[in-house]
Coordinates of all heavy atoms in Angstrom, one line a residue:
M26 N 259.9 81.6 35.9 CA 260.2 82.9 35.3 C 259.2 83.9 35.8 O 258.0 83.6 35.8 CB 260.3 82.7 33.8 CG 260.6 84.1 33.2 SD 260.9 83.8 31.4 CE 262.6 83.3 31.5
S27 N 259.6 85.1 36.1 CA 258.7 86.1 36.5 C 257.9 86.6 35.3 O 258.4 86.5 34.2 CB 259.4 87.2 37.2 OG 260.3 87.8 36.3
D28 N 256.7 87.1 35.6 CA 255.9 87.7 34.5 C 256.6 88.9 33.9 O 257.2 89.7 34.6 CB 254.5 88.2 35.0 CG 253.6 87.0 35.3 OD1 254.0 85.8 35.0 OD2 252.6 87.2 35.9
V29 N 256.6 89.0 32.6 CA 257.2 90.1 31.8 C 256.1 90.9 31.2 O 255.2 90.3 30.7 CB 258.2 89.5 30.7 CG1 258.8 90.7 29.9 CG2 259.3 88.7 31.4
R30 N 256.3 92.2 31.2 CA 255.3 93.1 30.6 C 256.1 94.0 29.7 O 257.1 94.6 30.2 CB 254.5 93.8 31.6 CG 253.6 94.9 31.0 CD 252.8 95.6 32.1 NE 251.9 94.7 32.7 CZ 251.4 94.8 33.9 NH1 251.8 95.8 34.7 NH2 250.5 94.0 34.3
H31 N 255.7 94.1 28.5 CA 256.4 95.0 27.5 C 255.4 96.2 27.3 O 254.2 96.0 27.1 CB 256.6 94.4 26.2 CG 257.5 93.1 26.3 ND1 258.8 93.1 26.5 CD2 257.1 91.8 26.2 CE1 259.3 91.9 26.6 NE2 258.2 91.1 26.4
V32 N 256.0 97.4 27.4 CA 255.2 98.6 27.1 C 255.7 99.4 25.9 O 256.9 99.8 26.0 CB 255.1 99.5 28.4 CG1 254.3 100.8 28.1 CG2 254.6 98.8 29.6
L33 N 255.0 99.4 24.9 CA 255.4 100.1 23.7 C 254.7 101.5 23.7 O 253.5 101.6 23.9 CB 255.0 99.4 22.4 CG 255.8 98.1 22.2 CD1 255.2 96.9 23.0 CD2 255.8 97.7 20.7
V34 N 255.4 102.6 23.5 CA 254.9 103.9 23.5 C 254.7 104.4 22.1 O 255.7 104.4 21.3 CB 255.8 104.9 24.3 CG1 255.3 106.3 24.4 CG2 256.1 104.3 25.7
L35 N 253.5 104.8 21.7 CA 253.2 105.3 20.4 C 252.7 106.7 20.4 O 252.1 107.1 21.4 CB 252.2 104.4 19.7 CG 252.7 103.0 19.3 CD1 253.8 103.0 18.3 CD2 252.9 102.0 20.4
P36 N 252.9 107.4 19.3 CA 252.5 108.8 19.2 C 251.0 109.1 19.2 O 250.5 110.2 19.6 CB 253.2 109.4 18.0 CG 253.3 108.2 17.1 CD 253.5 107.0 18.0
D37 N 250.2 108.1 18.7 CA 248.7 108.4 18.6 C 248.0 107.0 18.6 O 248.6 106.0 18.5 CB 248.4 109.2 17.3 CG 249.0 108.5 16.1 OD1 248.7 107.3 15.9 OD2 249.6 109.2 15.3
R38 N 246.7 107.2 18.7 CA 245.8 106.0 18.8 C 245.9 105.1 17.6 O 245.9 103.8 17.7 CB 244.4 106.4 19.1 CG 243.5 105.1 19.3 CD 242.1 105.5 19.6 NE 241.4 104.3 19.9 CZ 240.6 104.1 21.0 NH1 240.4 105.1 21.8 NH2 240.0 103.0 21.2
D39 N 245.9 105.7 16.4 CA 245.9 104.9 15.2 C 247.2 104.0 15.1 O 247.1 102.8 14.8 CB 245.9 105.8 14.0 CG 244.5 106.4 13.7 OD1 243.5 105.9 14.3 OD2 244.4 107.4 13.0
S40 N 248.3 104.6 15.5 CA 249.6 103.9 15.5 C 249.5 102.7 16.5 O 249.9 101.6 16.3 CB 250.7 104.8 15.9 OG 250.9 105.8 14.9
A41 N 248.9 103.0 17.7 CA 248.8 102.0 18.8 C 247.9 100.8 18.3 O 248.3 99.7 18.5 CB 248.2 102.6 20.0
E42 N 246.8 101.1 17.6 CA 246.0 100.1 17.1 C 246.6 99.2 16.0 O 246.5 98.0 16.0 CB 244.7 100.7 16.6 CG 243.8 101.2 17.7 CD 242.5 101.9 17.2 OE1 242.4 102.3 16.0 OE2 241.6 102.2 18.0
E43 N 247.4 99.9 15.2 CA 248.1 99.2 14.1 C 249.2 98.3 14.7 O 249.4 97.1 14.3 CB 248.7 100.2 13.1 CG 247.7 100.8 12.2 CD 248.3 101.8 11.2 OE1 249.4 101.6 10.8 OE2 247.6 102.8 10.9
V44 N 249.9 98.8 15.7 CA 250.9 98.0 16.4 C 250.3 96.8 17.1 O 250.8 95.7 17.0 CB 251.7 98.8 17.4 CG1 252.6 97.9 18.3 CG2 252.7 99.8 16.6
A45 N 249.1 97.0 17.7 CA 248.4 95.9 18.4 C 248.1 94.8 17.4 O 248.3 93.6 17.7 CB 247.2 96.4 19.1
E46 N 247.6 95.2 16.2 CA 247.3 94.2 15.1 C 248.6 93.5 14.7 O 248.6 92.3 14.4 CB 246.7 94.9 13.9 CG 245.2 95.3 14.2 CD 244.6 96.0 13.1 OE1 245.1 95.9 11.9 OE2 243.6 96.7 13.3
A47 N 249.7 94.3 14.5 CA 251.0 93.7 14.0 C 251.5 92.7 15.0 O 252.2 91.7 14.6 CB 252.0 94.8 13.7
L48 N 251.3 92.9 16.3 CA 251.8 92.0 17.3 C 251.2 90.6 17.1 O 251.9 89.6 17.3 CB 251.4 92.5 18.7 CG 252.3 93.7 19.2 CD1 251.6 94.3 20.4 CD2 253.7 93.3 19.5
A49 N 249.9 90.5 16.8 CA 249.3 89.2 16.5 C 249.9 88.6 15.3 O 250.2 87.4 15.3 CB 247.8 89.4 16.4
E50 N 250.0 89.4 14.2 CA 250.5 88.9 12.9 C 252.0 88.5 13.0 O 252.3 87.4 12.5 CB 250.3 89.9 11.8 CG 248.8 90.2 11.6 CD 248.7 91.5 10.7 OE1 249.7 92.1 10.2 OE2 247.5 91.9 10.6
R51 N 252.8 89.3 13.5 CA 254.3 89.1 13.5 C 254.8 88.3 14.7 O 255.8 87.5 14.5 CB 255.0 90.4 13.5 CG 254.7 91.2 12.2 CD 255.7 92.3 12.2 NE 255.2 93.5 11.4 CZ 255.9 94.6 11.2 NH1 257.0 94.8 11.8 NH2 255.4 95.6 10.5
F52 N 254.2 88.4 15.8 CA 254.8 87.8 17.0 C 253.9 86.7 17.6 O 254.2 86.1 18.6 CB 255.0 88.9 18.1 CG 256.0 89.9 17.8 CD1 255.7 91.1 17.1 CD2 257.4 89.6 18.0 CE1 256.7 92.0 16.8 CE2 258.4 90.6 17.7 CZ 258.0 91.7 17.1
G53 N 252.7 86.5 17.0 CA 251.8 85.5 17.5 C 251.2 85.8 18.9 O 250.9 84.8 19.6
V54 N 251.1 87.1 19.2 CA 250.5 87.4 20.5 C 249.1 87.0 20.5 O 248.3 87.5 19.6 CB 250.7 88.9 20.8 CG1 250.0 89.3 22.0 CG2 252.2 89.3 20.9
T55 N 248.7 86.1 21.3 CA 247.3 85.7 21.3 C 246.4 86.5 22.2 O 245.2 86.6 22.0 CB 247.2 84.2 21.7 OG1 247.9 84.0 23.0 CG2 247.9 83.3 20.7
E56 N 246.9 87.0 23.3 CA 246.1 87.8 24.2 C 246.1 89.2 23.7 O 247.1 89.8 23.3 CB 246.7 87.8 25.6 CG 245.8 88.5 26.7 CD 246.4 88.3 28.1 OE1 246.9 87.2 28.4 OE2 246.3 89.2 28.8
E57 N 244.9 89.8 23.6 CA 244.7 91.2 23.1 C 245.6 92.1 23.9 O 245.4 92.2 25.2 CB 243.2 91.6 23.3 CG 242.9 92.9 22.7 CD 242.8 92.9 21.2 OE1 242.6 91.9 20.6 OE2 242.9 94.0 20.6
P58 N 246.5 92.9 23.3 CA 247.3 93.9 24.0 C 246.4 95.0 24.6 O 245.3 95.3 24.0 CB 248.2 94.5 22.9 CG 248.2 93.5 21.8 CD 246.8 92.8 21.9
Q59 N 246.8 95.5 25.7 CA 246.0 96.6 26.3 C 246.4 97.9 25.7 O 247.6 98.2 25.7 CB 246.2 96.5 27.8 CG 245.4 97.6 28.6 CD 245.7 97.5 30.1 OE1 246.5 96.7 30.5 NE2 245.1 98.3 30.8
L60 N 245.5 98.7 25.3 CA 245.8 100.1 24.8 C 245.4 101.1 25.9 O 244.3 101.1 26.4 CB 245.0 100.4 23.5 CG 245.2 99.5 22.3 CD1 244.4 100.0 21.1 CD2 246.7 99.4 22.0
V61 N 246.4 102.0 26.2 CA 246.2 102.9 27.3 C 246.6 104.3 26.8 O 247.7 104.5 26.3 CB 247.0 102.5 28.5 CG1 246.8 103.5 29.7 CG2 246.8 101.1 29.0
R62 N 245.7 105.3 27.0 CA 246.0 106.6 26.6 C 246.8 107.2 27.8 O 246.4 107.1 29.0 CB 244.7 107.5 26.5 CG 244.9 108.9 26.1 CD 243.6 109.6 25.9 NE 243.8 111.0 25.6 CZ 244.0 112.0 26.6 NH1 243.9 111.6 27.8 NH2 244.2 113.2 26.2
D63 N 247.9 107.8 27.4 CA 248.8 108.4 28.5 C 249.0 109.9 28.2 O 249.8 110.3 27.4 CB 250.2 107.6 28.4 CG 251.2 108.1 29.4 OD1 250.7 108.5 30.5 OD2 252.4 108.1 29.1
A64 N 248.2 110.7 28.9 CA 248.3 112.1 28.7 C 249.7 112.6 29.2 O 250.1 112.2 30.2 CB 247.2 112.8 29.4
L65 N 250.3 113.5 28.4 CA 251.6 114.0 28.8 C 251.4 114.9 30.0 O 250.4 115.7 30.1 CB 252.2 114.8 27.6 CG 252.4 113.9 26.4 CD1 253.0 114.8 25.2 CD2 253.4 112.8 26.7
A66 N 252.3 115.0 30.8 CA 252.3 115.8 32.1 C 252.0 117.2 31.7 O 252.6 117.8 30.9 CB 253.6 115.7 32.8
G67 N 250.9 117.8 32.4 CA 250.6 119.2 32.2 C 249.8 119.5 31.0 O 249.5 120.6 30.7
E68 N 249.4 118.5 30.2 CA 248.7 118.7 29.0 C 247.2 118.2 29.1 O 247.0 117.1 29.6 CB 249.3 117.9 27.8 CG 250.7 118.4 27.5 CD 250.8 119.8 26.9 OE1 249.8 120.3 26.4 OE2 251.9 120.4 27.0
D69 N 246.3 119.1 28.8 CA 244.9 118.8 28.8 C 244.3 118.4 27.5 O 243.3 117.7 27.4 CB 244.1 119.9 29.4 CG 244.4 120.2 30.9 OD1 244.8 119.3 31.6 OD2 244.4 121.4 31.2
D70 N 245.0 118.8 26.4 CA 244.5 118.6 25.1 C 244.6 117.2 24.7 O 245.7 116.6 24.9 CB 245.3 119.5 24.1 CG 244.8 119.5 22.7 OD1 243.9 118.7 22.4 OD2 245.3 120.3 21.9
A71 N 243.6 116.6 24.2 CA 243.6 115.2 23.8 C 244.6 114.9 22.7 O 245.1 113.7 22.6 CB 242.2 114.8 23.3
E72 N 245.0 115.9 21.9 CA 246.0 115.7 20.9 C 247.4 115.4 21.5 O 248.2 114.9 20.8 CB 246.0 116.8 19.9 CG 244.7 117.1 19.2 CD 244.3 115.8 18.4 OE1 245.1 115.3 17.6 OE2 243.1 115.4 18.4
D73 N 247.6 115.9 22.7 CA 248.9 115.8 23.3 C 248.9 114.6 24.2 O 249.1 114.7 25.4 CB 249.2 117.1 24.1 CG 249.4 118.3 23.2 OD1 250.0 118.1 22.1 OD2 249.0 119.4 23.6
A74 N 248.7 113.5 23.6 CA 248.7 112.2 24.4 C 249.5 111.2 23.7 O 249.4 111.1 22.4 CB 247.3 111.7 24.7
Q75 N 250.2 110.3 24.4 CA 250.8 109.2 23.8 C 249.9 108.0 24.1 O 249.1 108.1 25.0 CB 252.2 108.9 24.5 CG 253.2 110.0 24.3 CD 254.4 109.8 25.1 OE1 254.4 109.2 26.2 NE2 255.5 110.3 24.6
W76 N 250.1 107.0 23.3 CA 249.3 105.7 23.6 C 250.3 104.6 23.9 O 251.3 104.5 23.3 CB 248.5 105.4 22.4 CG 247.3 106.3 22.3 CD1 247.2 107.5 21.8 CD2 246.0 105.9 22.7 NE1 245.9 108.0 22.0 CE2 245.1 107.0 22.5 CE3 245.4 104.8 23.3 CZ2 243.8 107.1 22.8 CZ3 244.0 104.8 23.6 CH2 243.2 105.9 23.4
L77 N 249.9 103.8 24.9 CA 250.7 102.7 25.3 C 250.1 101.4 24.9 O 248.9 101.3 25.0 CB 250.9 102.7 26.9 CG 251.3 104.0 27.5 CD1 251.4 103.8 29.0 CD2 252.7 104.5 27.0
V78 N 250.9 100.5 24.4 CA 250.4 99.2 24.0 C 251.1 98.3 25.0 O 252.3 98.1 25.0 CB 250.8 98.8 22.6 CG1 250.3 97.4 22.3 CG2 250.1 99.8 21.6
V79 N 250.3 97.6 25.9 CA 250.9 96.8 27.0 C 250.7 95.3 26.6 O 249.6 94.9 26.3 CB 250.2 97.1 28.3 CG1 250.8 96.2 29.4 CG2 250.3 98.5 28.7
V80 N 251.8 94.6 26.5 CA 251.9 93.2 26.1 C 252.3 92.4 27.3 O 253.4 92.5 27.8 CB 252.8 93.0 24.9 CG1 252.8 91.5 24.5 CG2 252.5 93.9 23.7
E81 N 251.4 91.5 27.7 CA 251.8 90.6 28.8 C 252.6 89.4 28.1 O 252.2 88.9 27.1 CB 250.5 90.0 29.5 CG 249.7 91.1 30.1 CD 250.3 91.8 31.3 OE1 251.3 91.2 31.9 OE2 249.9 92.9 31.6
D82 N 253.7 89.1 28.7 CA 254.6 88.1 28.2 C 255.0 87.2 29.3 O 256.2 87.2 29.7 CB 255.7 88.8 27.5 CG 256.7 87.8 26.8 OD1 256.3 86.6 26.6 OD2 257.8 88.2 26.4
P83 N 254.1 86.4 29.9 CA 254.5 85.6 31.1 C 255.6 84.6 30.9 O 256.3 84.3 31.8 CB 253.1 84.9 31.5 CG 252.3 85.0 30.3 CD 252.7 86.2 29.5
A84 N 255.7 84.1 29.6 CA 256.8 83.1 29.4 C 258.1 83.8 29.0 O 259.1 83.1 28.8 CB 256.3 82.2 28.2
G85 N 258.1 85.1 28.8 CA 259.3 85.8 28.4 C 259.8 85.5 27.0 O 261.0 85.4 26.8
I86 N 258.9 85.2 26.1 CA 259.3 84.7 24.8 C 259.5 85.8 23.7 O 260.1 85.6 22.7 CB 258.3 83.7 24.2 CG1 256.9 84.3 24.1 CG2 258.3 82.4 25.1 CD1 255.9 83.4 23.4
H87 N 259.0 87.0 24.0 CA 259.1 88.1 23.0 C 260.4 88.9 23.1 O 260.8 89.3 24.2 CB 257.9 89.0 23.1 CG 256.6 88.3 22.9 ND1 256.3 87.6 21.7 CD2 255.5 88.1 23.7 CE1 255.1 87.1 21.8 NE2 254.6 87.4 23.0
D88 N 261.1 89.0 22.0 CA 262.4 89.7 22.0 C 262.2 91.2 22.1 O 261.6 91.8 21.2 CB 263.1 89.3 20.7 CG 264.5 89.9 20.5 OD1 264.8 90.8 21.3 OD2 265.2 89.5 19.6
P89 N 262.7 91.8 23.2 CA 262.5 93.3 23.3 C 263.1 94.1 22.1 O 262.5 95.1 21.7 CB 263.3 93.6 24.6 CG 263.2 92.3 25.4 CD 263.3 91.2 24.3
A90 N 264.2 93.6 21.5 CA 264.8 94.4 20.4 C 263.8 94.4 19.2 O 263.7 95.4 18.5 CB 266.1 93.7 20.0
K91 N 263.1 93.2 19.0 CA 262.2 93.1 17.9 C 260.9 94.0 18.2 O 260.4 94.6 17.3 CB 261.8 91.7 17.6 CG 263.0 90.9 17.0 CD 262.6 89.5 16.7 CE 263.8 88.7 16.1 NZ 263.5 87.3 15.8
L92 N 260.5 94.0 19.4 CA 259.3 94.8 19.8 C 259.7 96.3 19.6 O 258.9 97.1 19.1 CB 258.9 94.5 21.2 CG 258.3 93.1 21.5 CD1 258.1 92.9 23.0 CD2 257.0 93.0 20.7
D93 N 260.9 96.7 20.0 CA 261.3 98.1 19.9 C 261.4 98.4 18.4 O 261.0 99.5 18.0 CB 262.7 98.3 20.5 CG 263.1 99.7 20.6 OD1 262.3 100.6 20.9 OD2 264.3 100.0 20.2
A94 N 261.9 97.5 17.5 CA 261.9 97.8 16.1 C 260.5 98.0 15.5 O 260.3 98.9 14.7 CB 262.6 96.6 15.4
L95 N 259.6 97.2 16.0 CA 258.2 97.3 15.5 C 257.6 98.7 15.9 O 257.1 99.4 15.1 CB 257.3 96.2 16.1 CG 255.8 96.4 15.9 CD1 255.4 96.4 14.4 CD2 255.0 95.4 16.7
A96 N 257.8 99.1 17.2 CA 257.4 100.4 17.7 C 258.0 101.5 16.9 O 257.4 102.5 16.5 CB 257.6 100.6 19.2
D97 N 259.3 101.3 16.6 CA 260.1 102.3 15.8 C 259.5 102.6 14.4 O 259.5 103.7 13.9 CB 261.5 101.9 15.7 CG 262.4 103.0 15.1 OD1 262.4 104.1 15.6 OD2 263.0 102.7 14.0
E98 N 258.9 101.5 13.8 CA 258.3 101.7 12.5 C 257.1 102.7 12.6 O 256.7 103.3 11.6 CB 257.7 100.3 12.0 CG 258.8 99.3 11.7 CD 258.2 98.0 11.3 OE1 257.1 98.0 10.7 OE2 258.8 97.0 11.5
Y99 N 256.5 102.9 13.8 CA 255.4 103.8 13.9 C 255.8 105.0 14.8 O 255.0 105.6 15.4 CB 254.2 103.0 14.6 CG 253.7 101.9 13.8 CD1 254.2 100.6 13.8 CD2 252.7 102.2 12.9 CE1 253.7 99.6 13.0 CE2 252.1 101.2 12.1 CZ 252.7 99.9 12.1 OH 252.2 98.9 11.3
E100 N 257.1 105.3 14.7 CA 257.6 106.5 15.4 C 257.4 106.4 17.0 O 257.2 107.4 17.6 CB 257.0 107.8 14.9 CG 257.4 108.0 13.4 CD 256.8 109.3 12.9 OE1 256.3 110.1 13.6 OE2 256.9 109.5 11.7
G101 N 257.5 105.2 17.5 CA 257.4 104.9 18.9 C 258.7 104.2 19.4 O 259.7 104.2 18.7
W102 N 258.5 103.7 20.6 CA 259.7 103.0 21.2 C 259.2 102.0 22.3 O 258.0 102.1 22.7 CB 260.7 103.9 21.8 CG 260.1 104.7 23.0 CD1 260.1 104.4 24.3 CD2 259.4 106.0 22.9 NE1 259.5 105.4 25.1 CE2 259.1 106.4 24.2 CE3 259.1 106.9 21.9 CZ2 258.4 107.6 24.5 CZ3 258.4 108.0 22.2 CH2 258.1 108.4 23.5
L103 N 260.0 101.1 22.7 CA 259.7 100.2 23.8 C 260.2 100.8 25.0 O 261.4 101.2 25.2 CB 260.5 98.8 23.5 CG 260.3 97.8 24.6 CD1 258.9 97.3 24.7 CD2 261.2 96.6 24.4
E104 N 259.3 101.0 26.0 CA 259.7 101.5 27.3 C 260.5 100.5 28.1 O 260.1 99.4 28.2 CB 258.4 101.9 28.0 CG 258.6 102.7 29.3 CD 259.1 104.1 29.0 OE1 258.8 104.7 28.0 OE2 259.8 104.7 29.9
A105 N 261.6 100.9 28.7 CA 262.4 100.0 29.5 C 261.7 99.9 30.9 O 261.3 100.9 31.5 CB 263.8 100.6 29.7
E106 N 261.4 98.7 31.3 CA 260.7 98.5 32.6 C 261.7 98.6 33.8 O 262.9 98.2 33.7 CB 260.1 97.1 32.6 CG 258.9 97.0 31.8 CD 257.6 97.5 32.5 OE1 257.3 97.0 33.6 OE2 256.9 98.3 31.9

């Protein structure tokens, strides 16, 4: 199976950190998710940034619908790859 990567888009760093913690608790993600600040195009202000939570899923075991539901709890979404 090819490596799967899930990217959850969150509105701020606090939400991204909470989602990263929830991934371990709810989904048993053992590898620390990568948090990435994603500045919106044309925006220089640090407040106008989204945060990405990148989850490596080499076995393809995480249900995208459940990941999207988790992100939705924090006003985010699962980015379609």
Side-chain angles (χ1 to χ4, degrees):
M26 179 172 278
S27 63
D28 286 354
V29 177
R30 174 180 290 154
H31 305 286
V32 179
L33 290 82
V34 182
L35 286 303
D37 55 51
R38 183 180 186 131
D39 289 343
S40 297
E42 289 174 347
E43 289 179 32
V44 165
E46 289 178 20
L48 285 166
E50 294 167 7
R51 295 192 205 177
F52 295 92
V54 173
T55 55
E56 188 173 319
E57 184 78 22
Q59 182 181 1
L60 301 182
V61 180
R62 181 178 175 274
D63 183 33
L65 299 175
E68 298 293 339
D69 295 327
D70 188 351
E72 297 301 313
D73 292 324
Q75 295 173 330
W76 282 80
L77 308 179
V78 179
V79 181
V80 181
E81 299 295 335
D82 186 13
I86 60 172
H87 300 300
D88 181 348
K91 290 182 180 178
L92 292 171
D93 188 47
L95 172 63
D97 186 59
E98 290 176 31
Y99 295 89
E100 299 180 7
W102 65 90
L103 178 65
E104 187 71 29
E106 288 274 310

